[in-house]
Amino acid sequence: MFTTEQRVAVVTGAARGIGAATAIRLAEEGRAVAVIDLDEAACADTVGKITAAGGRALAVGADVSDEAQVEAAVTRIAAELGAPTILVNNAGVLRDNLLFKMSASDWDTVLGVHLRGAFLMSRAVQKHMVDAEFGRIVNLSSSSALGNRGQVNYSAAKAGMQGFTKTLAIELGKFGVTANAVAPGFIATDMTAATAERVGMGFEDFQKAAASQIPVRRVGYPEDIANAVAFFTAEAAGFVSGQVLYVAGGPLN
Ligand SMILES: NC(=O)c1ccc[n+]([C@@H]2O[C@H](COP(=O)([O-])OP(=O)(O)OC[C@H]3O[C@@H](n4cnc5c(N)ncnc54)[C@H](O)[C@@H]3O)[C@@H](O)[C@H]2O)c1
């Protein structure tokens, strides 16, 4: 049932934060990992940590919302690392604002990176998964999918990721491919640090305030999300598909 071949995983937005922790975790699980981010040089840190620990990794510069760059990146990964059969659609951006102040370009940017990016990456990688009769796709949603003030673009994108995931699960299941979503709550990364700055709070105080509202009384860390992704991408997780797992230190509606 299980292969002895090394699987190739692709993690987008993996130069830092949740993507970097996920790439490192998947390498620890024995995967070869393509580390995609906007700037190839920015991937060096994640790749260096994987190779220093004896793993295989490749830095790839690509904008996931650009069709030609996505196709070129996946072709290069298949040639240099092997056919990718694990995909983590993690790349993300925020352009928060209240509806009446939000520009159309801030709407398009957020929908473009999260939804169009996940679509382009999944379409490019699925042929390798179908050929291998094995695939694992994990999409990063968010607790903001349930609605969050100042994030009409982001919450729409993250709710969209859930519908996208379920449809991938339905279409690709017969090829041995599962698709699931991880929806983080508050995770301490550059993204939440930028939000703290935008609302005029120090990051420490911002985290303390967030932790006081979370049942386990702490904020999340990138490794908390990497751990959930490792479960969904495991060889043994083949009967778990179309699910959304909130990883938020407590229940959400
Ligand atoms: N941090 C949180 O609290 C939190 C909560 C819920 C969901 N998420 C989601 O988790 C994912 C990772 O978040 P993070 O906190 O690590 O963010 P981050 O800002 O620290 O990292 C995101 C990475 O994505 C890259 N990226 C952005 N646009 C890209 C593009 N077009 N092509 C390729 N790479 C691109 C960035 O360069 C960056 O390295 C995102 O999808 C985010 O929406 C984060």
Side-chain angles (χ1 to χ4, degrees):
M1 184 182 174
F2 297 156
T3 182
T4 50
E5 261 176 55
Q6 187 180 42
R7 306 272 192 206
V8 175
V10 180
V11 185
T12 70
R16 67 183 197 204
I18 292 169
T22 299
I24 291 163
R25 176 62 189 268
L26 295 187
E28 287 166 2
E29 301 285 326
R31 313 317 195 166
V33 185
V35 175
I36 295 187
D37 214 293
L38 285 169
D39 172 20
E40 184 167 323
C43 301
D45 187 47
T46 308
V47 168
K49 283 181 180 145
I50 292 171
T51 52
R56 286 174 71 216
L58 177 70
V60 181
D63 176 345
V64 295
S65 67
D66 183 297
E67 188 171 18
Q69 290 186 36
V70 165
E71 290 296 329
V74 172
T75 300
R76 187 180 154 211
I77 291 162
E80 293 187 32
L81 217 50
T85 56
I86 297 170
L87 170 64
V88 185
N89 284 310
N90 166 83
V93 287
L94 294 180
R95 295 287 185 274
D96 293 354
N97 225 329
L98 294 174
L99 174 65
F100 78 103
K101 289 193 281 190
M102 186 172 288
S103 68
S105 101
D106 283 348
W107 172 271
D108 289 344
T109 298
V110 169
L111 274 285
V113 175
H114 295 268
L115 276 180
R116 182 180 158 87
F119 156 66
L120 292 174
M121 285 299 306
S122 302
R123 193 183 61 178
V125 169
Q126 58 79 29
K127 50 185 171 281
H128 297 291
M129 297 179 171
V130 171
D131 286 349
E133 298 176 343
F134 172 92
R136 300 279 184 265
I137 299 174
V138 181
N139 297 314
L140 268 289
S141 179
S142 167
S143 55
S144 295
L146 301 167
N148 200 24
R149 185 179 166 81
Q151 293 196 318
V152 73
N153 49 2
Y154 185 78
S155 60
K158 291 310 201 184
M161 290 295 257
Q162 298 190 10
F164 175 69
T165 301
K166 290 175 194 199
T167 301
L168 289 181
I170 291 166
E171 288 191 15
L172 299 176
K174 66 181 172 198
F175 303 109
V177 179
T178 67
N180 292 284
V182 175
F186 187 111
I187 309 299
T189 67
D190 289 349
M191 188 178 270
T192 37
T195 303
E197 204 177 325
R198 185 175 61 79
V199 299
M201 275 177 87
F203 194 34
E204 285 301 316
D205 288 341
F206 193 58
Q207 290 183 69
K208 267 189 205 145
S212 72
Q213 304 299 311
I214 298 170
V216 301
R217 291 290 186 273
R218 69 166 176 89
V219 298
Y221 299 102
E223 292 71 23
D224 291 310
I225 304 308
N227 192 36
V229 176
F231 166 70
F232 281 132
T233 59
E235 302 290 319
F239 205 56
V240 182
S241 197
Q243 302 305 302
V244 179
L245 180 63
Y246 284 91
V247 181
L252 295 167
N253 293 324

